[in-house]
Every structure is written in structure tokens, then in C-alpha cells.
Amino acid sequence: MSSEPRGRVPLRSLLFVPGSRTDWLPKAEAAGADAVILDLEDAVPDDGKAAALDAVTRAVDRATSRMRLFVRVNALDRAAGWQAADELRAVARPGLYGIVLPKVSHADDVRAADRMLAWCERHHGLPDGHFALVPLLETARGLREAYAIGRAADRVAHLGALTGPGGDVERAVGYRWSADGDETRDLRARVLLDARAADCPHP
């Protein structure tokens, strides 16, 4: 495990921007979100991912300290093999605040990403724990393993789930979304408890 993350703060709002539309970043910054996530996963079709990765890498190089910048890579267990690992190594450079890792189902996903990020930190001369890691709990097993996932690496400062209607968790668990959110209350409470027990400072 890497050393304790530095400079982590609560993130009240995270704004997603397609990785293919990095020209939207000035508007995203003007919107006042705590952080922006450049998305290489769901927001980019398969035939556009290579071009989007190039655009995102250039955007990270141009990033300023005024806006915390994340990149959501593809899942580490994709059938495409090492696509996500290649994406992670490409974008993990000094202008990046952290990596959003989708569809995390067990702690091994976090440990693998942690090792790759630690290598990137050494490669760029950055301190241990420079990059934050945000595991997205989007599967039934991921929700079940939230505590182990939160404990898998010190760079996991932010951990959460159940982001909105029609998402992966709704399909994985099989509930129907409602405005009141009664169907997810127990799941949200469990994830919060697991995140706190795992010492994640900002669930």
C-alpha cells in the first residue's frame, strides 16, 4: 500500500465530460464543480476511444491547479484486455488529480490500479500517493465488497455508489429507481458504513 494521500478534500460535485470533448473543459471549469471527470468509458464509442485518449492526455498536460481533474478509464477486467491499463499509464501524469475506476468488483482491481499508479508516480518524479483513486461500486459484488475495496489502497480517499437512475447498479441489483430513493436506502447506508470503517476520509 502507498503512503497516506496528500491534500485530499471532500468533493461535493463531480462533472462528467466526454473524453472526446475536451474542448468543453473551460465551460466545465466555469460551472464551478469541485472536480471534472474526463470520461473514456461510457461516454466514448469503441471506435473513438483511441482518439479520445490522445485528446485526454493532451488535456491533462495542459491542466491547471485551479480545477481537480480526474479521468475515468475503462474497467480493468474488460474483455479488451489491457486497454484500461494502457489508458491509466497514458493519463497518469502531473496534471492529473486522480483516476476513476469503473465496475470495481473486488479489492484486487484496486490493488492492480494502485501498483500501476505508484509506477507512474515514480516515473514522473511525483510523491507517493499523488494520484487519488476512486473505485466505482457498480456491481452487486462490488457493493458487497465495499469494505475490502476501501481498505485495498491508501490512495482510495473517495468511495461511493448508486449515482443515479438507469445506472449499472440498478440493473445489477434489480430494483426500480424512485424519486424518494427508498429502494437504495439500505444499500447507501451499508456503503457509507463500509467506507467509514475502511477509513476512507471522503465517502
Side-chain angles (χ1 to χ4, degrees):
M1 295 170 69
S2 57
S3 61
E4 183 67 14
R6 297 167 173 82
R8 302 288 186 250
V9 298
L11 299 175
R12 299 163 300 174
S13 57
L14 296 92
L15 184 62
F16 278 85
V17 172
S20 55
R21 296 309 308 262
T22 56
D23 56 308
W24 290 357
L25 278 174
K27 292 182 179 179
E29 185 170 5
D34 288 339
V36 169
I37 302 170
L38 288 172
D39 190 12
L40 292 171
E41 193 208 15
D42 291 342
V44 179
D46 287 343
D47 60 1
K49 288 188 185 293
L53 177 59
D54 289 341
V56 167
T57 301
R58 292 194 299 271
V60 172
D61 282 337
R62 297 191 301 266
T64 69
S65 59
R66 291 174 296 171
M67 181 173 63
R68 291 177 180 84
L69 187 62
F70 288 89
V71 173
R72 178 164 73 168
V73 297
N74 284 276
L76 284 176
D77 60 353
R78 277 177 62 96
W82 289 97
Q83 176 182 351
D86 291 340
E87 291 171 349
L88 189 151
R89 286 193 294 265
V91 302
R93 48 189 64 220
L96 188 74
Y97 180 81
I99 290 289
V100 176
L101 193 63
K103 298 178 177 63
V104 173
S105 292
H106 42 73
D108 287 344
D109 292 338
V110 173
R111 294 188 189 103
D114 180 53
R115 288 193 296 269
M116 285 184 275
L117 289 171
W119 181 90
C120 293
E121 288 162 349
R122 292 192 295 270
H123 177 73
H124 290 288
L126 298 169
D128 292 344
H130 174 85
F131 299 119
L133 183 61
V134 183
L136 295 184
L137 309 178
E138 300 176 294
T139 67
R141 178 169 178 177
L143 292 167
R144 179 67 177 82
E145 301 292 331
Y147 173 76
I149 289 168
R151 292 284 293 172
D154 288 336
R155 69 176 74 248
V156 179
H158 314 285
L159 181 68
L162 306 157
T163 54
D168 292 303
V169 175
E170 183 175 346
R171 291 189 294 272
V173 177
Y175 59 79
R176 298 289 295 274
W177 188 274
S178 71
D180 293 336
D182 293 339
E183 67 285 347
T184 63
R185 183 178 294 116
D186 289 346
L187 290 173
R188 287 182 281 127
R190 180 194 173 105
V191 170
L192 176 60
L193 178 61
D194 285 345
R196 290 298 190 195
D199 294 325
C200 295
H202 306 300

